[in-house]
Amino acid sequence: MRDDNIPVLLLPTRFAASGSRHLHSPTGDGIVEAFRALAQEYAIEAKDCLVTAYKYATLPGITRERPNTNAITSLAWAYTAAHTPGASGDDLTRACAIAIRVLFGYWYPGETGGPDRIMAAHSLPASQVNRTAFAFLQSLPPPHKEWGTQVWQAMKAWPTLPGAAPQGGKGRPAGKPTVSRPQPATGIRTNIVHQLKGDEADGVLLLLPDPGSVQRWATSDPATDEVLRIWYVAVTRARRLAAIALPEEETEALANLLAERGVPVRAV
C-alpha cells in the first residue's frame, strides 16, 4: 500500500527510440538516475526501487543488438546481456545462442547445418549446451577494443563438449568489437509490468513513452482496457513512492487530472 503522504511524482521525459537514452527533461540526466535522486529525497535507497514499463524495448539497460554485425561484436552484446541484472528472457536466450554459435564454430569447424544439427549429431542436450554457453559468457572480461584476443584465449582453454575437434585457428572470431558506451550502474531493478507477478518495491517508476497516455487515463476503463489495467498494476506495486515518466508536453495535463481527482502530485 502506497504511503499517501508522498505525492505521485511526474517526471517530464525526452524518450529515445530504445530504453538506453531516456532523459529527464529538466536536468538532462538519464531518467533512472533522476528517479534514484528523487527517491533518495524520501529516504528510499536504490536497491528498494523498481523501474517498469509495458514493453521490454522501453526499459533502460541493454542496447538492442544491431543486425549484420561481426561475430565479436555480437558476442560483446551477448556478454552485456548475460551480465545485466533483470535482463529479459528473450535477451538471455539470444545471448546464449550467440555464444553457442561462436563456440561451435571453433569446436566443430568441419560441420554444417547450424547448432541444432550439431547438437543432434552428437546427442548434446540443449540444457547442457545452454549452461555451457552462459558460463562461458560469465567467465569473460568486459569487452574493449582488444577484447578479441582474450576471447580467443578463453575459447581455447574452455572445456569442450563431446565430439569437438578444433582445428588450429578455425572459428576464431575476427575483428574488433564495436563496444557501446556503458550506461551508469544505478542499482535499480528493471522489468516489464507483466513479469512483476506481485512483486513490490518502496519506489516504482512507470515509463510511459507513447503520446496519448493522459487521454487514456482520463477516458478509459481499466476493466475493459488491458493497457490501462497494466498501468494501474504498475503504480500499485509502489509501497511508498509512485512515479510516472511521460513525454514532457503531457506532464501538465496529467498533473491537472490527478489533482482534480484529489491525488497529491509533484511534477519535477
Side-chain angles (χ1 to χ4, degrees):
M1 179 67 68
R2 197 178 67 80
D3 182 349
D4 287 334
N5 291 323
I6 300 179
V8 173
L9 301 185
L10 302 184
L11 282 64
T13 303
R14 297 194 298 274
F15 286 96
S18 65
S20 60
R21 295 296 295 163
H22 303 328
L23 299 179
H24 182 228
S25 298
T27 64
D29 294 333
I31 194 60
V32 179
E33 289 76 20
F35 173 57
R36 180 180 60 177
L38 290 164
Q40 288 176 342
E41 294 183 17
Y42 298 97
I44 300 173
E45 298 182 21
K47 66 181 180 64
D48 298 317
C49 291
L50 169 70
V51 175
T52 189
Y54 188 77
K55 300 176 182 178
Y56 276 119
T58 303
L59 290 174
I62 305 172
T63 303
R64 292 180 181 178
E65 183 195 9
R66 295 181 178 180
N68 302 319
T69 57
N70 59 21
I72 199 69
T73 292
S74 291
L75 193 66
W77 178 91
Y79 169 94
T80 300
H83 286 79
T84 299
S88 72
D90 287 345
D91 281 336
L92 293 176
T93 298
R94 177 62 183 155
C96 283
I98 290 169
I100 290 167
R101 188 173 67 235
V102 170
L103 289 170
F104 277 19
Y106 170 56
W107 286 341
Y108 308 99
E111 301 190 35
T112 59
D116 288 343
R117 184 170 180 176
I118 292 171
M119 289 163 60
H122 296 281
S123 301
L124 301 175
S127 58
Q128 179 187 11
V129 173
N130 284 323
R131 284 196 303 270
T132 298
F134 189 75
F136 176 73
L137 290 172
Q138 288 288 317
S139 76
L140 295 174
H144 54 88
K145 291 299 182 182
E146 305 302 325
W147 191 54
T149 299
Q150 291 179 305
V151 169
W152 177 235
Q153 295 302 322
M155 290 172 63
K156 291 191 293 182
W158 199 257
T160 60
L161 291 175
Q167 296 178 16
K170 289 185 177 180
R172 177 175 182 172
K176 297 181 178 182
T178 300
V179 182
S180 300
R181 184 172 66 180
Q183 300 301 315
T186 64
I188 294 178
R189 292 179 293 134
T190 63
N191 210 341
I192 58 169
V193 183
H194 307 72
Q195 296 297 323
L196 296 184
K197 297 180 180 177
D199 192 13
E200 292 183 338
D202 285 347
V204 173
L205 173 64
L206 172 63
L207 304 177
L208 296 180
D210 298 327
S213 298
V214 178
Q215 182 68 16
R216 200 163 202 156
W217 284 112
T219 62
S220 295
D221 182 352
T224 56
D225 187 326
E226 174 66 14
V227 173
L228 185 59
R229 187 186 68 80
I230 290 294
W231 293 352
Y232 275 112
V233 168
V235 295
T236 57
R237 300 300 92 189
R239 288 190 290 259
R240 296 184 56 211
L241 171 66
I244 299 172
L246 70 167
E248 49 190 326
E249 63 272 14
E250 297 197 8
T251 306
E252 183 177 358
L254 184 54
N256 292 337
L257 177 64
L258 292 175
E260 290 171 2
R261 298 184 179 183
V263 178
V265 62
R266 175 189 172 196
V268 288

